[in-house]
Amino acid sequence: MRTPDSAVLERESELSRIEAALDSAARGEGRVVLIEGRAGIGKTRLVQATRDLAKARGFGRLQAVGDALESAMAWGVVRQMVERSVSRYTGEIRAALLAGPSGDALRALDAAATDPSEAELARTLHSLWWVAVDLSASRPLLITVDDAHWADLSSAQFLVYLSRRIADLPIALVVATRPPAENTGPLAQLSVSRQAERVLPRPLTAAALTALLAARPGPAAAPAVVAALHAASGGNPFLARVLVDELDALGLPLDESATAARVGTLGPSTVFRAALGRLPAAAVRLAGAAAVLGVGSDPWQAATITGLDPAGLTAAAEALAAANVLVSDGDHLVFVHPVVREAVLADLGPVARRGLHARAAVELAAANAPADRIAAHLAQAPRGTLPEAAAVLRRAAVALLAAGDARTATEHLTRAVDEDPDDPALRAELGRALLRTGEAARARDELRAAAAGLPDAELLAAAASATAVVDGPATAIAELEAAIRARPAGDRDAGRLHLEARLAVIRSFVAEERHRSSAHLRGYADLPGGTPDERTLLGLLAQMGRYEVSPAAEVAATASRALANGAYFDDATGSSEAMVAWVVALLALISADGVEPARREIDRARLRVRAHGSPVEFAMVANAGLFLNWRLGDVAAVDAESEGALAAITHEDPAPHVIALRATGTHFTAYAALERGDLDGAAAALDRFDTAHPDRPTMMPTIWLHEPRALIALGRNDPRLARAESARQRDLMAEAGLDPPTIPWRAPAVRAAMLLGDTAEAGTLATEQLAIARRWGAATEVGAALRLLAHADPDRRLDLLTESVAVLRASPARLELARSLVDLGEALRVGRRRGDAREVLHRGIDLAGDCGSAALRQRAVQALEALGDRPRRPVFAGPEALTASERRVAGLAAAGRANREIAQELFVTPKTVENHLGRIYTKLGITGRRDLAQALV
């Protein structure tokens, strides 16, 4: 039963909401529409209607259909939508498309398939997002995915990724799916996207079904028959059409009330009988092959696996098309509805399906089809189908791991091990994949079995990592120590070093192992840093040295060897945990005043991340950059770096490393606000973090947040709260067994104690801070600690501040020097040394202004005015009126970078850059880029 108007019957409300989403996208405000409903309710027709509406509005269009078979293929849905957009063109047009965003997408997917690292998924998602940005640059874009419940995991994750970043893009994303079976997974996440709107097509009413039947030729249906059809179908349009077709085939007239009694005997099982029950056997076989091969199957492959010759194929395909089962465009066979395909598969039965999958795998292998497509059939075929089955499954698993689908990868590798159980390397790959899925017990078994057949320190180390999850770190530590003792080679054997590195990593997470870990690491202090394992040991030693307050010069030397001129960063880029270790080693170098080698390291890392990085990797490098800029005293750069880092990971899931990045960005955002004198801004940044992460785990970056909270309390004249926040940080650090001078909780605690009149406590804490700083030895900490003691020891204030200034002149920390200069100037003024005070305060004012600390500059100005001087007031116009982020964008634009290039470099959208430039032009009083370079001078 075909009716031309049934696509929109009783769908006016749904279509109105879809039209509103398209109109919003056309204005540059992206929207997500999730069409959710059970099979046959009309989702596909709404998708097609959406495409027609978008075509009429001049949208570009990408489309894909999820498929149960392709759900095991990495990036299946994404490849489908890109390849469809290219396949209908030839010659120069096709070449032009492949030279643009479509080619970029295919190249990103091909590159990802060769790199199974954990980080590759994030990079590929970001690359694909940029493809969507580029495709929507010239005209609005509609992306539709039908039957998304069958989409492969990697493609579904891209839909979620895009949905979270669609707000200022001219893109409408319309996804049709059955209701998610669980409240987790990408489709569940998609439904709660801030830009997402759920459209739930309702069952047709009896009146609508009457209208549907009235469009058929012949007499009107009897009311009793309509009522029976409505009850039997539940208002499902597809099932209603199937039931009517079955009544026609049985010769039961719709206009006779007696037919109503027969309707109840039909039901959903009628689908196969109605569609295929009266077709020739060859047509039924072809339908079965097409159902097994999946969406858009090749008719010639389908014919081959069913034994049809060309004439038989033509006849069978024509019969299926005439019965409205399949449509063919000459190159593909497509079911008119997924319910029909499901009915065909159900009728085949498991044995017949496995046989067809086996024949499909053989044919695809003979045609040199991609490994993931062959593997999808091998996974459902009998063992022994292909001699090279294990190798094919292994190649497919690598691509799946790169796409973030570790679970399907482990299923393929498990089957591969069944095919070739005596290959230890294959078991090793399965063990590593199982670690990615969290199946630690199985992973350990496979890794140990692999190590027995292929002695390898890496396998023993990986097995110990699994043991740490299954039985706890103490058992894993004992396991590694036993493996190390069993090695016959010397201490610096490569295998031993790998085990030692894994032992050090596991120990670093156990507080009670800290002292043993420290002694263990010190034994490797002379390593040159020539291998990844050596760099891991040195990086951990540098971290330990910073936390345990070893001499700063030693820590700087260790950190430099760990970083190895960019080699440690190259080691780390496949894993978030390893990237965190790189950041920690870099922070140790910066804390030891090794700012120039740190700057070179960060610059190299930025180039690498800009070329092929993810938002999380960008934020990690930016966090290292903001720590460096804070050390140097560049408040504007800190503000820009922290804002950029937080913006880049706004939409990331709150994994522990993401929370740590947000905590660090928030910490320095608060610091920058405090230097501007913006107490409310600093408090708001901390409040945003607390609101977003109410149940956050305790980790170093969240512990450090108590210090800016204490500084805000001091700014609001609440010394009791400041003392409490400082004490909380002290206690948490004590629990972790560390007290580094670079995180000076004592600084706000001393100021709070002085305001509360507890000078004894203030003196004790300040003296402790100076002792720790001298043990560390970096000029920055020593100079800051001398200034802190000067506050608590008024009798020696001038001498201590004079020494602080002298020490800090040898430090890269300009803001710390500016603080000591201003404090010294105020002390000289109080001591009636007016001439000396004026000179020192003028230097402090200039340096505070250079650093961008308005609060410190204002304090120095007030001290100078008390001496009768009137310093030049800053003029906040022109470039000075720009925010830190605006200055960064303006500088890049003035250097000739296009909006897209700026957006790529800063990991934001082109629209964000456009908005920044609009504000910049207004503040600078110019009309466009042509005048920008001159206006910034």
Side-chain angles (χ1 to χ4, degrees):
M1 181 185 74
R2 301 184 186 183
T3 55
D5 61 341
S6 61
V8 295
L9 195 63
E10 284 196 331
R11 295 291 182 253
E12 294 82 3
S13 173
E14 289 87 344
L15 288 172
S16 175
R17 292 164 68 187
I18 289 169
E19 285 186 289
L22 292 173
D23 292 342
S24 176
R27 295 191 301 270
E29 301 167 3
R31 294 279 294 279
V32 180
V33 176
L34 193 68
I35 304 173
E36 187 178 303
R38 56 195 176 95
I41 201 65
K43 301 185 297 296
T44 297
R45 288 175 178 262
L46 279 173
V47 169
Q48 184 55 54
T50 301
R51 291 181 57 76
D52 293 341
L53 290 168
K55 181 179 180 181
R57 286 165 164 76
F59 275 60
R61 299 176 305 286
L62 293 178
Q63 63 173 316
V65 180
D67 174 61
L69 181 71
E70 290 193 352
S71 65
M73 301 179 195
W75 304 109
V77 161
V78 171
R79 279 191 182 276
Q80 187 188 137
M81 67 174 69
V82 176
E83 289 169 353
R84 277 188 178 187
S85 70
V86 174
S87 62
R88 61 179 179 267
Y89 299 103
T90 58
E92 292 182 3
I93 297 177
R94 181 185 180 90
L97 289 171
L98 289 173
S102 296
D104 291 342
L106 295 175
R107 285 186 288 275
L109 298 180
D110 290 339
T114 65
D115 183 357
S117 69
E118 295 174 57
E120 188 57 35
L121 172 63
R123 298 181 195 133
T124 306
L125 289 172
H126 192 67
S127 296
L128 291 173
W129 178 78
W130 266 109
V131 170
V133 171
D134 290 341
L135 286 170
S136 65
S138 58
R139 58 175 176 165
L141 177 67
L142 170 68
I143 300 175
T144 59
V145 180
D146 199 5
D147 293 330
H149 47 279
W150 283 322
D152 59 281
L153 178 62
S154 44
S155 295
Q157 288 173 318
F158 171 66
L159 297 180
V160 174
Y161 191 92
L162 175 61
S163 74
R164 292 173 175 175
R165 295 159 175 81
I166 208 171
D168 59 357
L169 296 175
I171 297 177
L173 173 62
V174 177
V175 178
T177 179
R178 296 178 189 177
E182 301 176 353
N183 291 325
T184 58
L187 289 179
Q189 294 176 48
L190 193 64
S191 67
V192 297
S193 169
R194 281 182 293 181
Q195 276 69 46
E197 180 177 11
R198 291 174 73 206
V199 171
L200 308 175
R202 296 161 297 169
L204 296 180
T205 63
L209 186 54
T210 300
L212 197 65
L213 296 173
R216 298 172 74 253
V225 174
V226 173
L229 286 169
H230 187 263
S233 68
N236 185 298
F238 175 78
L239 290 179
R241 284 190 289 271
V242 168
L243 292 171
V244 170
D245 288 344
E246 179 69 356
L247 291 175
D248 284 344
L250 294 173
L252 297 171
L254 298 186
D255 58 337
E256 294 185 8
S257 298
T259 298
R262 295 294 303 275
V263 172
T265 65
L266 302 177
S269 61
T270 307
V271 172
F272 178 81
R273 188 171 66 254
L276 298 163
R278 283 166 289 280
L279 290 176
V284 175
R285 293 204 311 277
L286 181 63
V292 165
L293 285 170
V295 170
S297 55
D298 184 313
W300 300 104
Q301 285 181 340
T304 299
I305 68 174
T306 53
L308 290 173
D309 59 22
L313 168 63
T314 300
E318 289 176 351
L320 290 168
N324 199 30
V325 173
L326 290 173
V327 293
S328 174
D329 58 8
D331 295 323
H332 303 94
L333 296 173
V334 181
F335 281 91
V336 296
H337 201 285
V339 174
V340 176
R341 181 182 174 222
E342 291 176 64
V344 172
L345 287 171
D347 186 72
L348 280 172
V351 175
R353 283 200 302 273
R354 286 170 67 82
L356 285 171
H357 280 297
R359 290 199 288 278
V362 171
E363 289 300 322
L364 289 167
N368 293 316
D372 58 353
R373 183 164 290 278
I374 302 170
H377 291 286
L378 281 175
Q380 301 182 61
R383 181 178 168 182
T385 294
L386 284 178
E388 68 275 21
V392 171
L393 290 160
R394 174 187 274 165
R395 290 200 301 274
V398 169
L400 286 161
L401 286 170
D405 189 356
R407 191 157 301 283
T408 306
T410 59
E411 291 171 1
H412 280 354
L413 288 169
T414 299
R415 174 60 185 272
V417 169
D418 288 343
E419 296 276 353
D420 189 0
D422 298 325
D423 184 345
L426 196 55
R427 286 189 177 275
E429 288 188 42
L430 173 57
R432 295 187 193 99
L434 286 164
L435 282 175
R436 296 266 289 267
T437 66
E439 298 175 79
R442 272 190 68 199
R444 181 172 62 181
D445 292 343
E446 295 295 342
L447 290 165
R448 286 176 173 173
L454 184 71
D456 188 304
E458 192 279 333
L459 295 176
L460 294 173
S465 293
T467 295
V469 177
V470 177
D471 297 324
T475 305
I477 289 168
E479 187 176 313
L480 283 165
E481 289 174 335
I484 291 167
R485 287 193 301 270
R487 296 194 71 84
D491 287 347
R492 298 302 165 87
D493 160 68
R496 176 182 289 271
L497 276 178
H498 187 77
L499 293 169
E500 296 279 15
R502 187 60 55 91
L503 175 61
V505 169
I506 293 176
R507 272 180 168 160
S508 69
F509 292 101
V510 183
E512 52 268 29
E513 286 281 328
R514 183 171 299 280
H515 295 301
R516 290 184 67 204
S517 178
S518 179
H520 171 228
L521 287 168
R522 279 195 289 272
Y524 293 99
D526 62 340
L527 287 173
T531 68
D533 292 319
E534 289 184 0
R535 292 190 282 272
T536 296
L537 287 162
L538 289 169
L540 289 168
L541 179 59
Q543 175 188 11
M544 190 74 71
R546 178 190 175 205
Y547 288 160
E548 293 189 345
V549 199
S550 298
E554 291 180 13
V555 171
T558 301
S560 293
R561 274 181 283 125
L563 293 166
N565 294 317
Y568 197 23
F569 183 82
D570 292 340
D571 298 341
T573 51
S575 160
S576 297
E577 287 185 3
M579 278 285 287
V580 170
W582 171 80
V583 172
V584 168
L586 193 53
L587 298 191
L589 178 61
I590 296 168
S591 297
D593 282 346
V595 296
E596 286 310 315
R599 193 198 306 275
R600 292 192 295 270
E601 181 75 20
I602 291 168
D603 288 344
R604 277 192 297 264
R606 285 192 204 281
L607 291 174
R608 172 76 177 266
V609 169
R610 286 170 191 164
H612 183 50
S614 69
V616 167
E617 290 171 322
F618 170 82
M620 285 186 173
V621 176
N623 273 3
L626 67 87
F627 193 90
L628 173 65
N629 283 311
W630 181 251
R631 191 74 171 183
L632 294 170
D634 190 339
V635 175
V638 169
D639 209 5
E641 289 275 22
S642 59
E643 182 180 326
L646 291 171
I649 55 174
T650 297
H651 304 293
E652 296 295 321
D653 290 327
H657 63 275
V658 173
I659 295 175
L661 288 171
R662 287 175 180 161
T664 303
T666 299
H667 189 168
F668 286 96
T669 296
Y671 272 177
L674 287 168
E675 293 304 320
R676 294 194 305 270
D678 184 4
L679 290 173
D680 291 341
L686 292 163
D687 289 343
R688 284 193 298 272
F689 178 82
D690 291 341
T691 300
H693 306 289
D695 301 317
R696 60 187 176 273
T698 298
M699 57 181 78
M700 297 303 175
T702 60
I703 291 175
W704 305 154
L705 290 177
H706 290 285
E707 186 205 2
R709 289 191 179 99
L711 294 173
I712 292 167
L714 288 171
R716 290 174 170 172
N717 198 29
D718 189 347
R720 294 187 186 281
L721 178 58
R723 174 189 266 177
E725 291 286 358
S726 299
R728 182 62 178 149
Q729 180 165 325
R730 175 202 64 201
D731 294 343
L732 289 170
M733 289 168 62
E735 289 175 17
L738 52 91
D739 189 9
T742 50
I743 309 294
W745 63 267
R746 289 179 180 83
V750 166
R751 290 171 57 191
M754 292 293 291
L755 289 170
L756 293 169
D758 195 341
T759 55
E761 179 184 350
T764 299
L765 291 175
T767 301
E768 288 175 359
Q769 183 68 21
L770 181 57
I772 296 170
R774 290 196 188 282
R775 195 167 89 219
W776 175 242
T780 299
E781 272 65 48
V782 174
L786 286 165
R787 184 178 66 247
L788 182 66
L789 183 57
H791 282 284
D793 190 347
D795 294 337
R796 295 192 296 154
R797 181 166 296 165
L798 271 176
D799 291 341
L800 289 167
L801 287 171
T802 300
E803 185 181 358
S804 173
V805 168
V807 169
L808 286 168
R809 283 201 180 103
S811 158
R814 298 179 308 150
L815 184 56
E816 293 291 353
L817 175 58
R819 288 172 179 152
S820 290
L821 283 169
V822 173
D823 282 4
L824 177 59
E826 288 181 326
L828 289 167
R829 179 182 65 81
V830 171
R832 300 184 182 279
R833 293 170 56 181
R834 300 172 67 86
D836 293 338
R838 285 191 181 92
E839 179 185 351
V840 171
L841 285 170
H842 274 294
R843 285 159 50 204
I845 287 171
D846 291 342
L847 191 51
D850 291 344
C851 290
S853 178
L856 180 61
R857 187 184 188 283
Q858 179 60 29
R859 183 159 66 85
V861 165
Q862 290 172 350
L864 198 58
E865 287 176 342
L867 292 171
D869 275 18
R870 291 185 176 275
R872 180 179 62 83
R873 295 188 179 276
V875 179
F876 293 105
E880 294 298 324
L882 301 180
T883 68
S885 293
E886 288 167 352
R887 280 196 294 274
R888 175 176 284 190
V889 170
L892 292 170
R897 305 281 184 86
N899 285 12
R900 185 188 188 281
E901 293 175 306
I902 298 171
Q904 280 193 308
E905 183 165 330
L906 301 182
F907 280 71
V908 296
T909 67
K911 181 76 171 189
T912 299
V913 174
E914 182 183 323
N915 291 339
H916 271 312
L917 287 172
R919 291 192 294 271
I920 289 165
Y921 299 154
T922 300
K923 289 180 180 181
L924 296 181
I926 60 177
T927 58
R929 281 174 177 262
R930 187 171 53 187
D931 305 318
L932 190 54
Q934 183 63 36
L936 292 175
V937 175

